[in-house]
Amino acid sequence: EKGGYDHFMMKEIYEQPRSIRDCMRGRIYPKTGKVQLGGIKEYTEKLKNIDRIIIVACGTSWHAGLVGEYLIEEYARIPVEVEYASEFRYRNPIITEKDLVIAISQSGETADTMAAIELAKEKGATIFGVCNVVGASIPRVSHAGVYTHAGPEIGVASTKAFTAQVTALTLIAFYAAQQRGAITQSKLIEYLTELNEIPDLVERALLCNDHVKEIAAAIKDTNNCLFLGRGSSFPVALEGALKLKEISYIHAEGYPAAEMKHGPIALIDEEMPVVFIATKNSSYEKVVSNIQEVKARKGKVIAIVSEGDVDVKNMADYVIEIPQTNEAFVPLIATIPLQLLAYHIAVMRGCNVDQPRNLAKSVTVE
Ligand code: F6R
């Protein structure tokens, strides 16, 4: 049932080329530049007229929401707020009929997320669910939605559900962009053509596994680890840190790379591994200078870089190369080595990867 893998988590990591493909199937038409989302079609007029989107979610799904914020603001030009579902409902939030609330949940049963959408619904907002489990409570309470179609996720630490959530949010961003006239048809064709290649690039990114395992062996005894990234790689850093804490019980934190100098830099010494997402995109030069700051304090740098990178390779202790892609899709690729890193470290430390202590697959208490 684990398909030849030692753990469900590894099986699910390797399923990602397929699960991302399944999430896009029948929804994108790169040749004509069309996005079709049957689950929200009836709400297209609404989507054209809303003033704001509020994304509510917990844990890994909240990280997917942060990536969604970048994509929706960048391409559809709709203001987005991303909220922890548990915080949202306890502060008398301002919600009107002109708001769209998107609830992201793998299980579709998370109590905090469920309570947040019930409150938003009472106040007249339109609710979209981005869920994996078909027919679960959140999709049933939502007005409309986009299923992620990642297939059952057994490992408690979410992997393929996360990349499918990011994919679904990418589709929503481009659908909204198209409907609101925020993107030209030729640009859309360009983006959808690249998006269509992402499953192949994820397949290629998985080839880093043996190398990631060697890096895992080198840092597995650390007590702490930092993850840094900028732009939409910041939520990827948060997700990398969460994966590591959940399954290996190593204290890890994710930060926007530029925030390091406002505090966390005090933690850096020769014992501290710092994982950077340093792919070739608009913030590359800035990230390079953040890496220099860590090296100047003798931190151990592990960098996720684009294939063919030279500058970071000369500075970092370890580099992991991933295929180059459009900035919009970097989170889908850069997440892969971080999942593998957490997995191998946890296995080497003898942890129960599929069922980490104190955690449950679906959190139905508030
Ligand atoms: C992380 C993880 C949790 C869940 C969170 C939300 O690996 O599994 O952080 O992401 O409990 O769960 P869902 O998405 O089911 O609402």
Side-chain angles (χ1 to χ4, degrees), residues 223-339:
N223 292 318
N224 298 285
C225 190
L226 284 179
F227 289 78
L228 305 175
R230 296 177 84 117
S232 61
S233 290
F234 160 53
V236 174
L238 292 176
E239 177 59 8
L242 181 61
K243 286 293 87 92
L244 189 64
K245 1 183 184 199
E246 283 183 302
I247 62 170
S248 74
Y249 316 137
I250 293 170
H251 170 231
E253 287 193 68
Y255 266 98
E259 271 297 302
M260 190 182 59
K261 58 184 172 299
H262 299 288
I265 198 163
L267 294 167
I268 311 270
D269 61 13
E270 54 284 336
E271 304 281 294
M272 178 67 97
V274 187
V275 180
F276 276 94
I277 296 110
T279 50
K280 268 267 160 58
N281 39 262
S282 59
S283 52
Y284 179 73
E285 269 79 31
K286 299 268 180 182
V287 175
V288 168
S289 53
N290 297 140
I291 293 176
Q292 280 161 341
E293 287 158 14
V294 171
K295 277 322 295 174
R297 287 157 188 87
K298 303 199 163 54
K300 231 181 268 166
V301 170
I302 298 128
I304 316 281
V305 299
S306 304
E307 275 168 1
D309 178 278
V310 182
D311 299 350
V312 174
K313 223 177 246 172
N314 289 331
M315 279 182 272
D317 297 81
Y318 306 95
V319 295
I320 303 166
E321 289 189 87
I322 57 170
Q324 173 76 25
T325 180
N326 190 295
E327 187 150 6
F329 311 127
V330 168
L332 290 170
I333 314 287
T335 300
I336 308 297
L338 301 185
Q339 295 170 340

Side-chain angles (χ1 to χ4, degrees), residues 119-177:
L119 174 76
K121 207 174 171 187
E122 252 168 55
K123 303 211 177 208
T126 301
I127 319 290
F128 285 2
V130 172
C131 298
N132 195 43
V133 177
V134 175
S137 305
I138 292 169
R140 275 190 281 124
V141 169
S142 304
H143 294 108
V146 177
Y147 278 116
T148 47
H149 296 312
E153 191 179 64
I154 311 292
V156 163
S158 187
T159 53
K160 65 172 178 171
F162 172 75
T163 47
Q165 288 165 340
V166 171
T167 305
L169 291 162
T170 307
L171 300 180
I172 293 173
F174 286 124
Y175 184 68

Side-chain angles (χ1 to χ4, degrees), residues 86 89-90 110-116 118 363-366:
S86 56
R89 49 185 299 245
Y90 288 109
T110 300
D112 285 318
T113 310
M114 185 71 183
E118 275 169 344
V363 183
T364 51
V365 291
E366 288 176 34

